[in-house]
Amino acid sequence: MVRVLTPFEYFEPKTVEEASNLLRDYGEKVRVLAGGVDLLARIRRREIQVEGLVCIQRIPGLDYVRQDSEGLKIGALTTLRTLERSQEVRENYRLLFDAIHSIHSIQVKNMGTAVGNLCIATPASDVAVSLLALDAQMKIAGPSSERSMPLENFYLGVKRTALQPGELVTGILVPPLPKGSFGAFMKLVRTATDIAKVNVAVRATLRNGGCEEVRIALGSVAPTIVRARKAEEALRGTRLEREAVVEAAERAAEEVNPITDIRSTAEYRREMVKVLTRRAVEKIKVEAGVKG
Amino acid sequence: MRGKQVIKLTVNGEPYEVEVEPHMTLLEVLRDKLNLTGTKGSCGVGECGTCTVLVDGKPFLSCLTLAITVRDKNILTIEGLARDKKLHILQKAFLEHGAVQCGFCTPAMLLTAKALLDENPNPTREEIREYISGVLCRCTGYVKIIEAIMSAAEEIRRRGSEYE
């Protein structure tokens, strides 16, 4: 039978402010419990030690997904499954839908929240990669103030975020997509339920057959998820001709800094960045009806 | 809060009052406190899905759910799937199709399949494969499990009921 969890103190704040105060007072001794899938598994594996958990599950008003003029709004308690089943996400933010849909355990999606997934700060997160390509903003609450921050600036390293003591993420804002936006999410995995060896999300805005704007986000190939800015430059202003796509894929592979671990070697990951980036752009071309 | 406290749980329609500590999982409470040992535990980290129970109708991993967080919720375990001594049509279909080999994943497979059919009464093979992919069958008997779920879905649609 599995090992038991080590005992901890349990807090159940009723408001974000109360949660924030607890996080400030207890600092690194406590962790936020939302869905718990990753957190409790890590406590059980003895990867982390906690003296207390701040359970935010019973704070009202944090479980929502809605679209308005500012974009798609996701609450801190909104599960991956809720997002997967949301018509707005499926129809208007396909890139996010595809990333969530690629996660195969229904149990994990019923329990796990999108915000929790981002706050784990693993560079392998499918959700984070797609949200980076979508220019998502994190809504953050602290003991006395609120702020928002681009997801791009949220990560400092493996399992390290820019959250200050007392701060917690209360939601995500995904800005409205410009007309002519297309996206593609791809990942390389050994089995359907495994973590990605490499994942990539590309979003491009096309106008009159030309690539006006593009985001290329990559996961599992650096200490944090990353944008391949030089690869983006290679595509911006082109008509996504074959040469431009190949050039972008080459540049993306040069920009990443992968490691060798049980899932892949660094060399293989770098090579696969090239392949997946090219395929993702090609998929966008097919969807957008761009020839060549 | 720290130390023991009494919480209310609703399991298979029955109300229970149980003394728990905050770090006790739903799996531990079901098996060790309520003696409902149909729910299995294995990996403890969300890889195998064998500890699946339904929380308000949704498949949850009971080994990664703190019991204290599901107080006031409706929990369905495999012990509550048959009613009035009648098997659920999914259970019958699993028997008829030989979808049970060692049986270790069966409670989780059945409950996950029930949640699927509640959500989508007419799933495709592919939709079934995706939905049950979080539960690992150690015997790799997936083909018969999928066939059993397909057949049960049809039977439930035909009868308009989950029970004979």
Side-chain angles (χ1 to χ4, degrees):
Chain A
M1 192 43 210
V2 294
R3 285 197 285 186
V4 296
L5 299 173
T6 44
F8 42 73
E9 202 162 344
Y10 177 81
F11 302 97
E12 205 171 78
K14 295 283 178 292
T15 64
V16 169
E17 192 186 357
E18 212 183 304
S20 168
N21 288 335
L22 283 163
L23 293 172
R24 182 198 55 203
D25 295 346
Y26 289 89
E28 301 205 330
K29 293 177 189 163
V30 298
R31 299 269 182 152
V32 175
L33 172 69
V37 181
D38 181 74
L39 178 65
L40 298 183
R42 276 159 71 192
I43 294 173
R44 175 165 286 136
R45 288 195 193 103
R46 309 296 190 258
E47 284 174 21
I48 52 171
Q49 289 184 324
V50 293
E51 288 180 30
L53 294 188
V54 177
C55 174
I56 62 169
Q57 289 176 13
R58 301 212 175 210
I59 298 179
L62 293 180
D63 180 7
Y64 58 85
V65 51
R66 58 173 173 263
Q67 194 183 1
D68 62 23
S69 59
E70 291 174 324
L72 183 74
K73 295 171 176 173
I74 299 167
L77 290 176
T78 310
T79 65
L80 295 170
R81 185 65 178 154
T82 299
L83 294 173
E84 190 180 27
R85 298 193 76 187
S86 145
Q87 201 181 343
E88 284 90 354
V89 174
R90 189 185 296 243
E91 289 176 4
N92 304 330
Y93 293 88
R94 188 79 199 180
L95 192 52
L96 178 59
F97 174 85
D98 287 345
I100 295 171
H101 194 65
S102 80
I103 300 168
H104 267 251
S105 163
I106 200 79
Q107 287 81 352
V108 166
K109 287 188 283 196
N110 276 330
M111 297 168 69
T113 62
V115 166
N117 183 296
L118 297 186
C119 289
I120 293 166
T122 163
S125 165
D126 300 324
V127 179
V129 165
S130 79
L131 286 172
L132 179 58
L134 289 166
D135 288 339
Q137 294 271 331
M138 307 296 274
K139 279 179 57 189
I140 298 168
S144 54
S145 63
E146 291 183 5
R147 60 178 177 142
S148 69
M149 173 187 279
L151 177 59
E152 191 172 359
N153 301 341
F154 186 64
Y155 296 118
L156 304 179
V158 178
K159 295 185 177 155
R160 282 175 56 225
T161 70
L163 289 177
Q164 298 291 312
E167 284 189 327
L168 73 158
V169 178
T170 55
I172 305 166
L173 171 68
V174 190
L177 294 176
K179 265 206 163 92
S181 290
F182 294 88
F185 172 82
M186 287 188 180
K187 71 174 170 184
L188 192 69
V189 286
R190 189 171 155 271
T191 67
T193 51
D194 200 6
I195 296 165
K197 295 166 191 260
V198 176
N199 50 13
V200 55
V202 178
R203 176 174 67 84
T205 308
L206 306 177
R207 195 154 302 175
N208 305 323
C211 175
E212 206 169 74
E213 190 52 270
V214 61
R215 292 279 183 281
I216 300 175
L218 296 161
S220 284
V221 289
T224 66
I225 53 168
V226 287
R227 257 178 76 182
R229 288 176 180 278
K230 289 178 186 158
E232 291 172 5
E233 273 169 36
L235 292 179
R236 204 172 287 123
T238 71
R239 302 184 75 82
L240 301 181
E241 301 89 347
R242 189 181 303 271
E243 303 72 42
V245 177
V246 170
E247 172 69 18
E250 297 274 348
R251 286 191 188 187
E254 284 163 20
E255 283 180 82
V256 297
N257 188 21
I259 57 162
T260 296
D261 66 7
I262 55 163
R263 290 193 173 79
S264 275
T265 61
E267 293 80 1
Y268 184 70
R269 283 194 161 103
R270 198 182 288 279
E271 200 58 31
M272 290 306 106
V273 164
K274 203 186 294 180
V275 173
L276 291 192
T277 302
R278 196 189 67 227
R279 285 186 191 163
V281 179
E282 279 167 0
K283 188 176 172 212
I284 285 174
K285 284 173 70 174
V286 170
E287 274 189 27
V290 176
K291 299 216 170 64
Chain B
M1 55 184 90
R2 191 183 271 284
K4 292 179 178 173
Q5 58 189 292
V6 175
I7 60 163
K8 287 180 182 169
L9 284 178
T10 307
V11 183
N12 302 329
E14 298 281 323
Y16 291 91
E17 288 195 358
V18 218
E19 195 180 59
V20 302
E21 288 182 78
H23 68 281
M24 287 181 73
T25 63
L26 177 58
L27 176 65
E28 287 158 355
V29 168
L30 291 172
R31 288 184 60 91
D32 304 340
K33 297 264 180 182
L34 305 184
N35 214 20
L36 295 170
T37 53
T39 308
K40 307 305 177 197
S42 179
C43 77
V45 291
E47 305 277 358
C48 78
T50 194
C51 64
T52 299
V53 299
L54 303 189
V55 175
D56 287 343
K58 294 177 187 163
F60 265 53
L61 299 166
S62 63
C63 81
L64 293 178
T65 300
L66 298 180
I68 198 168
T69 63
V70 289
R71 58 185 199 274
D72 320 325
K73 306 215 179 206
N74 280 309
I75 293 146
L76 183 72
T77 71
I78 194 62
E79 288 88 349
L81 193 57
R83 276 201 201 142
D84 307 325
K85 302 203 169 165
K86 273 193 177 167
L87 291 180
H88 188 283
I89 286 172
L90 273 164
Q91 290 172 304
K92 290 197 69 158
F94 269 55
L95 288 172
E96 283 160 12
H97 285 79
V100 179
Q101 292 186 46
C102 84
F104 197 75
C105 73
T106 309
M109 282 290 184
L110 281 166
L111 291 170
T112 306
K114 175 179 162 45
L116 166 64
L117 299 188
D118 287 347
E119 225 176 74
N120 176 2
N122 192 7
T124 63
R125 258 189 121 73
E126 192 50 37
E127 284 167 341
I128 294 173
R129 284 166 58 101
E130 269 183 26
Y131 208 95
I132 65 169
S133 65
V135 185
L136 181 74
C137 169
R138 288 135 182 90
C139 312
T140 70
Y142 295 104
V143 171
K144 290 180 176 179
I145 291 169
I146 293 163
E147 279 167 6
I149 297 170
M150 291 287 280
S151 137
E154 196 188 322
E155 178 83 5
I156 293 167
R157 287 199 309 276
R158 196 171 56 79
R159 289 180 177 274
S161 161
E162 293 174 79
Y163 298 89
E164 280 186 2

